[in-house]
């Protein structure tokens, strides 16, 4: 019984190891990888075989920060000053989002992510039950949380917190464990200190990690100092956030001391290079963060500030911009960028069985077609995955041992319906 | 007689105009666009019709700086200090390149470029007859030149100059005008002043424009000051280069005064954002160049320092990095990035009938499939082309009115043979 099979003749990426590309075999038993190596495994039974030639297998990509439903606003307001973009474009439209809008926007994004090789995504938004529905149906692995903005009366605050807690209780561990939950006050600038403390307490009570936006713009850092006399890292430390396992998004504007504090508390940083550049937030100090031992992972942020969910592009941006800005061509080498998009990503969202091709790990992996002009000659496949490939090179995707994308087609979602519904949802939002 | 046809129901990108996307019709008569508009044209005869629905038509992309044959070294040495990369990796291998290596490396690159929507490329390399052969056979439009390094004895210098002149004489205007030539001393740091003056004279004699590398790294600028007492712009101005129509590649390290000088002489700048970041050369002052009225176009540079030839990625990088580095989210908006990749590119390589969808222009255009998750909803298609699309979204490509890519397949080149030969050429280089 069970579903055991073998990939033969494939190339398997193991970035960061002595031999970063294994030319050989991988065995999958239900949801787990049970063997990977250059020698054929000893098999006691006849099991189905998958031809791995022309393919490079990579761990599924892990997108550690985003707001998937915002795909409905992709291209609706670009090249604008941040406040104009938020106040005149995003917030008025998001204010009109119904649960159905969130459902179809998220479905559009999950479809894009799966087809592009992302097997795990973090999502912080509203109407999270609808997001969880998409995650469950699509087969993707998801780390979900109600992101709460606390600029509202106390009773509304309490209600939102209760919603966030109820969502986490209901969905944590669901979908055969593919869905996990976190607790998420939106940011220090949208949640008063005492409100953040309530989230920290809730995270303790539920034994869940915390995610928040932090130090994305210079202006918000300055405002934090004005309002609370502390920069965001010290502020959140004081509020007890880092007594919980934590992941902060952005961390663009950090001092050396703040980097040390994050490292000491083992706080992960979700780096969003595309979004940070597009919104002109700045360039995060990624080489310094990595050097200090901080786990830096990669996120796309919402599709309206990116404007796609191609994690290959985020890996490439991470590998490119820190070289160009620091003047050091050895900064963030290809293998490290690939680790940021896979293993470090999994670690950042507290999934210790995901992000690496190794026996005992969950069978979340993807295959890209390497017999294409832009991926030849086969000099260094780790380099090609980071510097030359894109989401559209993904041929097959498996999550939890189940194939969800085959020859570029999503097997779990109705692509045509989602495309049509997402377009209709946007047109309807314009009218409302 | 003739080959006249019409595209119906398409969307046509006209960046920079009041109505940047025309929803309607385009008529092509042999090598020319003869009509574009929202109303159906008055046709005197029955002509073949092409269904443009689900497609966004764009001018073909123009890659204004590169060394196509270096695709053979893609991924062969990354994340290294510039001098190590050049001296230990690139130069020893390039020194072994035969005409056949250049042929197959160029073929691999032209295949990648055509499939990715690039309809014109500039190439500066050696064995240029072989590059021209590929250009002629593939149907691509090409601006070709022997790039000459002058760090050699006088008689070798003379021979190389003679080669560059002979190539230009033989190939300028060939392949039904698809191939044009330029004159190209490699750079101020690889060509002594008197040698550069000979190239300027040759360009005058042949009535051809000039292309050179300039101010790519801080170090080369400082060396120029040490050697000649002038920064590179003043140095080249003094040598008379800018009395010819000129295009310089990179222009990363420029003072305000240098930018003014380039603008005054109408010198174009080929901006290579991917390569400049990867080699840690720095970030060119593109917003200032554009503001000063300099024509800034986009190049991939060689595939070994990029590491692909996806011009959508270069447009996106141009639109993203200058926002992030300057802190101004309105810097290099999407339409301007698209102009840099098309119309400004054509202007930079002195092709005045290319780069725009308009009556009287050459029929060099591409179609991308916009009915895909990452290109929905259809909010702003110019934004989607720049911020969300990639080379792999290109469905069809026409150059000079002839279709060269259909449903993603190149019609003019033997892809399978090129892939195999390029891989073999690299393996053979390792052995030699």
């Amino acid at each position: 019984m069970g579903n055991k099979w073998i990939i033969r003749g494939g190339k398997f990426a193991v970035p960061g190891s002595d031999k970063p590309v294994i030319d050989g075999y991988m065995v999958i038993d239900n949801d787990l990888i049970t063997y990977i190596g250059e020698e054929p495994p000893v098999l006691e039974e006849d099991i189905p075989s998958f031809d791995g030639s022309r393919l490079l297998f990579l761990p599924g990509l892990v997108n550690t920060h985003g707001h998937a439903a915002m795909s409905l606003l992709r291209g609706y307001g670009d090249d604008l000053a941040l406040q104009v973009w938020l106040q005149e474009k995003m917030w008025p439209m998001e204010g009109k989002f119904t649960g159905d809008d969130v459902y179809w926007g998220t479905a559009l994004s999950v479809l894009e992510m799966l087809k592009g090789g992302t097997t795990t995504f973090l999502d912080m938004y509203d109407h999270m039950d609808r997001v969880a529905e998409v995650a469950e149906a699509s087969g993707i692995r998801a780390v979900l949380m109600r992101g709460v903005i606390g600029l509202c009366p106390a009773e509304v605050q309490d209600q939102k917190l209760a919603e966030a807690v109820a969502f986490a209780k209901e969905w944590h561990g669901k979908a055969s464990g593919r869905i996990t939950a976190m607790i998420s006050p939106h940011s220090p600038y949208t949640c008063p200190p005492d409100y953040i403390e309530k989230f920290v307490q809730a995270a303790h009570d539920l034994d869940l990690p915390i995610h928040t936006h932090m130090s994305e713009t210079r202006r918000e850092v300055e405002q934090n100092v004005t309002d609370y006399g502390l920069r965001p890292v010290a502020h959140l430390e004081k509020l007890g956030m880092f007594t919980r396992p934590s992941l902060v998004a952005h961390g663009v504007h950090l001092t050396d001391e703040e980097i040390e504090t994050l490292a000491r508390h083992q706080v992960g940083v979700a780096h969003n290079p595309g979004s940070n550049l597009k919104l002109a937030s700045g360039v995060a100090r990624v080489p310094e963060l990595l050097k200090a031992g901080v786990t830096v992972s990669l996120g796309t942020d919402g599709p309206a500030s990116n404007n796609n969910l191609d994690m290959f592009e985020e890996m490439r941006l991470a590998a490119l911009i820190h070289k160009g800005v620091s003047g050091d061509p050895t900064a963030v080498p290809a293998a490290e960028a690939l680790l940021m998009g896979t293993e470090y990503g999994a670690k950042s969202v507290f999934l210790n069985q995901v992000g690496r091709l190794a026996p005992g790990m969950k069978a979340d992996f993807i295959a890209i077609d390497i017999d294409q002009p832009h991926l030849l000659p086969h000099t260094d496949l780790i380099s090609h995955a980071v510097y030359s490939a894109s989401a559209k090179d993904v041929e097959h995707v498996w999550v939890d041992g189940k194939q969800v994308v085959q020859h570029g087609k999503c097997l779990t979602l109705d692509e045509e319906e989602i495309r049509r519904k997402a377009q209709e949802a946007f047109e309807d939002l314009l009218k409302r």
Side-chain angles (χ1 to χ4, degrees), chain A:
Chain A
M1 242 222 66
N3 177 24
K4 190 170 174 179
W5 54 290
I6 181 168
I7 300 168
R8 297 176 192 272
K11 296 180 194 303
F12 302 90
V14 195
S17 71
D18 292 342
K19 195 165 172 67
V21 177
I22 293 173
D23 211 330
Y25 305 82
M26 187 163 84
V27 177
I28 296 93
D29 189 349
N30 284 290
D31 58 326
L32 297 177
I33 296 168
T34 56
Y35 176 86
I36 181 167
E38 304 221 316
E39 298 300 316
V42 179
L43 295 168
E44 288 165 10
E45 58 206 315
D46 225 17
I47 59 174
S49 182
F50 183 95
D51 177 13
S53 59
R54 300 177 55 144
L55 297 172
L56 172 67
F57 294 85
L58 300 161
L61 304 175
V62 180
N63 182 350
T64 65
H65 182 69
H67 317 283
M70 290 184 78
S71 62
L72 293 189
L73 303 180
R74 185 200 319 274
Y76 181 72
D78 293 300
D79 310 319
L80 297 169
L82 187 65
Q83 291 307 315
V84 178
W85 180 70
L86 283 173
Q87 291 171 14
E88 295 179 20
K89 293 285 181 175
M90 294 298 112
W91 291 344
M93 290 291 267
E94 286 185 284
K96 294 191 274 185
F97 273 24
T98 62
D100 281 352
D101 292 323
V102 169
Y103 182 86
W104 293 112
T106 303
L108 187 70
S109 287
V110 168
L111 183 58
E112 180 186 349
M113 286 193 277
L114 281 179
K115 290 177 79 174
T118 295
T119 55
T120 298
F121 78 114
L122 177 149
D123 204 63
M124 177 211 280
Y125 211 65
D126 196 358
H127 300 287
M128 291 304 297
D129 285 328
R130 308 304 303 276
V131 176
E133 268 179 59
V134 175
E136 186 165 38
S138 68
I140 201 167
R141 197 176 296 282
V143 182
L144 305 180
M145 63 214 68
R146 168 81 156 92
V148 179
I149 293 183
L151 303 173
C152 49
E155 61 273 23
V156 183
Q157 279 190 351
D158 290 345
Q159 181 204 320
K160 284 181 169 182
L161 174 59
E163 270 176 43
V165 167
F167 173 79
K169 278 186 178 165
E170 183 178 345
W171 284 97
H172 185 65
K174 282 286 165 65
S176 316
R178 275 191 292 108
I179 296 177
T180 52
M182 288 175 79
I183 292 297
S184 181
H186 174 272
S187 71
Y189 64 93
T190 54
C191 291
D194 61 332
Y195 196 40
I196 289 180
E197 285 173 329
K198 288 182 186 171
F199 281 85
V200 174
Q201 187 56 52
H204 274 293
D205 295 345
L206 296 168
D207 194 21
L208 290 177
I210 295 190
H211 183 50
T212 196
H213 294 97
M214 191 195 77
S215 305
E216 180 176 2
T217 65
R218 191 176 301 280
R219 182 176 158 164
E220 109 200 27
V221 172
E222 286 163 1
Q223 193 62 44
N224 208 89
V225 173
T226 303
D227 292 348
Y228 308 118
L230 292 171
R231 291 176 64 90
V233 173
H235 178 65
L236 292 178
E237 185 184 28
K238 187 180 164 195
L239 298 175
M241 185 176 285
F242 305 148
T243 61
R244 295 301 312 160
S246 298
L247 173 68
V248 295
H250 302 302
V252 175
H253 300 279
L254 296 173
T255 63
D256 289 349
E257 195 191 338
E258 285 180 296
I259 291 175
E260 269 175 47
T261 306
L262 295 176
R264 192 169 62 248
H265 291 291
Q266 295 182 287
V267 175
V269 172
H271 176 41
N272 298 259
S275 172
N276 293 164
L277 290 171
K278 186 156 184 293
L279 298 177
S281 305
V283 176
R285 300 176 60 195
V286 168
E288 291 90 340
L289 283 161
L290 289 168
K291 199 176 166 200
V294 174
T295 301
V296 182
S297 56
L298 293 170
T300 54
D301 208 349
S305 59
N306 190 304
N307 292 348
N308 64 35
L309 302 171
D310 181 348
M311 282 288 291
F312 286 91
E313 191 178 313
E314 301 304 322
M315 292 194 291
R316 179 151 56 244
L317 281 172
L320 289 178
I321 60 176
H322 302 294
K323 293 178 173 66
V325 169
S326 70
D328 175 7
T330 71
V332 192
E336 185 133 51
L338 186 52
L339 287 168
M340 287 165 71
T342 56
E343 190 172 334
Y344 300 172
K347 193 178 167 196
S348 294
V349 295
F350 311 98
L351 297 174
N352 54 21
Q353 240 186 322
V354 169
R356 214 152 34 90
L357 301 183
M361 299 296 279
K362 288 280 188 182
D364 289 13
F365 62 97
I366 67 178
I368 65 175
D369 172 6
I370 50 172
D371 200 16
Q372 300 186 83
H374 64 296
L375 301 175
L376 283 165
H378 290 165
T379 48
D380 177 346
L381 296 178
I382 301 292
S383 164
H384 286 2
V386 170
Y387 290 121
S388 312
S390 82
K392 299 275 301 250
D393 296 322
V394 174
E395 190 72 13
H396 306 292
V397 179
W398 291 264
V399 183
D400 222 29
K402 291 193 183 67
Q403 187 158 14
V404 289
V405 172
Q406 187 177 45
H407 295 301
K409 296 220 181 321
C410 183
L411 304 174
T412 52
L413 297 172
D414 182 339
E415 171 159 345
E416 199 175 322
E417 181 185 30
I418 292 169
R419 281 195 263 113
R420 194 182 71 244
K421 290 283 193 179
Q423 177 67 27
E424 286 172 5
F426 170 70
E427 288 171 14
D428 192 58
L429 281 165
L430 284 181
K431 289 182 207 142
R432 290 207 296 263

